[in-house]
Amino acid sequence: MIYVVNKSNNPTYNIALEEYCFKNLKDYDQIFILWINEPTIVVGKYQNTIEEINSEYIKEHGIHVVRRISGGGAVYHDLNNLNYTIISNVNKGDEFNFKEFSVPVIETLKELGVKADFTGRNDLEIDGQKFCGNAQAYIKGRVMHHGCLLFDVNLGVLGDALKVSKDKIESKGVKSVRSRVTNILPHLKEKITVEEFADKLMGYMKKHYPEIKEYKLSKEELDIIEKNSKEKHGNWDWVYGQSPEYNITRGKRFPFGKIQIFANVVNSKIKNIKFYGDFFGTKEDLSEIEEKLIDVKYTPEDIKERLKDLDIKEYFAGFTLDEIVEAIVE
């Protein structure tokens, strides 16, 4: 196991760095990274960015917007938010395993006298309030797990910067974003800084993985990361994307996440379609399934027939074919 020291607070660079480690340092079975961003909204790979953010607010307050390469929902970071990344060579199962990768956080908090619980699909909570959301990406048996830990984040800004859909708030049975989340700091008996908390988490890793060693990126590697930071993660098309022309839009929340579709249907046939949402999938490219639906009749029966030979869970982890059909047309 190796760890990478990252002192950057630049969100496009930080996203590019973990992507580089995930896709290029394949000889290392496990990689651990801690990082902190300037005020930033990070949207999931499959989300429609413009619908997840309060555009006027983030522009007025100079908040960055970036897109990560994993699924899941949008999160807010600031300099009192600690992010952790665990990259591992594992055999891909049928479902995304978030709980296993959350153990270092849960155990570190336990050592500090705080009881944290893994709940729902991918959340960590203290006394029923969420303080960490997790996301994962897969590439050929290799997983990248990352979580954002609310340590002492400005929850007022979090609530104003993120637009949370009404159906998500109702599905949680609460009234607002702010009532659902909490910071770690108020629950600690001994008040420490986010940097000191990062040291505690790194200390746990070194104690339980004594073979862990620091990996220092070469100048050539840093140049590649910097280039990707600017050309991909700082690129408007990657962050905001292009929505298709559409005359039908639908959105529905299921147990494993929300799916939203934008479709252009002409003479009862699908001419183009785009999927958005906070779901996860092991297949990176949703265009495969989107292109398969072109020129299909816009009926549940025809859509189901066209998709029946696909392994739906590769694109939408945890979903059934019937649920995908329901999201599109029913």
Side-chain angles (χ1 to χ4, degrees), residues 142-185:
R142 188 168 168 85
V143 62
M144 178 173 72
H145 175 106
H146 41 202
C148 91
L149 302 165
L150 300 177
F151 185 78
D152 191 23
V153 171
N154 187 324
L155 298 181
V157 175
L158 182 154
D160 290 334
L162 285 173
K163 281 185 175 178
V164 175
S165 61
K166 183 180 177 183
D167 71 292
K168 185 165 187 175
I169 294 174
E170 290 177 345
S171 74
K172 297 288 185 178
V174 292
K175 294 183 179 179
S176 70
V177 182
R178 296 176 205 181
S179 65
R180 285 185 48 223
V181 299
T182 187
N183 279 307
I184 292 171
L185 185 60

Side-chain angles (χ1 to χ4, degrees), residues 14-270:
N14 291 341
I15 292 285
L17 184 146
E18 67 167 2
E19 182 179 10
Y20 177 84
C21 294
F22 180 40
K23 294 182 176 179
N24 294 278
L25 301 185
K26 297 179 182 178
D27 291 338
Y28 298 95
D29 286 339
Q30 291 183 304
I31 304 171
F32 185 69
I33 312 170
L34 293 173
W35 45 289
I36 295 174
N37 278 336
E38 295 174 345
T40 303
I41 291 176
V42 184
V43 299
K45 178 170 182 175
Y46 307 112
Q47 290 192 293
N48 187 354
T49 301
I50 203 67
E51 294 198 353
E52 298 297 325
I53 63 176
N54 184 334
S55 298
E56 291 185 6
Y57 184 88
I58 65 167
K59 183 177 180 180
E60 180 183 346
H61 291 81
I63 298 171
H64 303 282
V65 181
V66 298
R67 182 186 297 278
R68 61 180 183 267
I69 64 170
S70 59
V75 292
Y76 173 74
H77 296 176
D78 67 18
L79 293 170
N80 281 304
N81 178 102
L82 178 65
N83 306 287
Y84 74 102
T85 303
I86 300 175
I87 298 168
S88 178
N89 291 332
V90 297
N91 293 321
K92 177 176 70 66
D94 293 332
E95 305 294 343
F96 283 65
N97 185 342
F98 293 98
K99 189 173 183 178
E100 176 185 344
F101 289 96
S102 300
V103 169
V105 174
I106 293 173
E107 291 299 315
T108 298
L109 286 171
K110 184 178 179 180
E111 291 177 0
L112 294 172
V114 177
K115 184 180 182 298
D117 299 299
F118 183 89
T119 64
R121 180 179 61 149
N122 59 333
D123 294 342
L124 292 176
E125 294 183 351
I126 298 172
D127 294 335
Q129 291 183 297
K130 176 178 174 179
F131 71 92
C132 177
N134 295 283
Q136 289 182 353
Y138 274 104
I139 298 178
K140 297 178 181 177
R142 188 168 168 85
V143 62
M144 178 173 72
H145 175 106
H146 41 202
C148 91
L149 302 165
L150 300 177
F151 185 78
D152 191 23
V153 171
N154 187 324
L155 298 181
V157 175
L158 182 154
D160 290 334
L162 285 173
K163 281 185 175 178
V164 175
S165 61
K166 183 180 177 183
D167 71 292
K168 185 165 187 175
I169 294 174
E170 290 177 345
S171 74
K172 297 288 185 178
V174 292
K175 294 183 179 179
S176 70
V177 182
R178 296 176 205 181
S179 65
R180 285 185 48 223
V181 299
T182 187
N183 279 307
I184 292 171
L185 185 60
H187 300 275
L188 297 178
K189 295 177 182 177
E190 178 187 350
K191 303 309 178 185
I192 58 176
T193 67
V194 67
E195 290 82 9
E196 289 171 326
F197 180 70
D199 291 340
K200 298 280 188 184
L201 187 52
M202 181 58 77
Y204 173 90
M205 297 299 292
K206 290 180 177 179
K207 177 181 177 181
H208 291 270
Y209 301 92
E211 77 283 4
I212 193 171
K213 295 181 180 179
E214 181 181 354
Y215 179 89
K216 294 187 177 181
L217 294 157
S218 68
K219 183 182 183 304
E220 290 74 19
E221 289 175 313
L222 292 171
D223 288 343
I224 292 170
I225 294 168
E226 188 64 46
K227 183 180 181 193
N228 191 36
S229 167
K230 294 175 180 177
E231 295 183 359
K232 177 180 178 178
H233 294 286
N235 185 289
W236 188 93
D237 285 336
W238 166 253
V239 177
Y240 287 89
Q242 301 288 340
S243 297
E245 293 182 13
Y246 65 92
N247 50 28
I248 292 176
T249 179
R250 294 173 50 82
K252 184 166 184 179
R253 182 161 295 281
F254 298 89
F256 283 88
K258 181 178 181 179
I259 292 182
Q260 185 179 31
I261 67 107
F262 289 78
N264 189 25
V265 177
V266 179
N267 295 328
S268 297
K269 286 188 176 182
I270 298 172

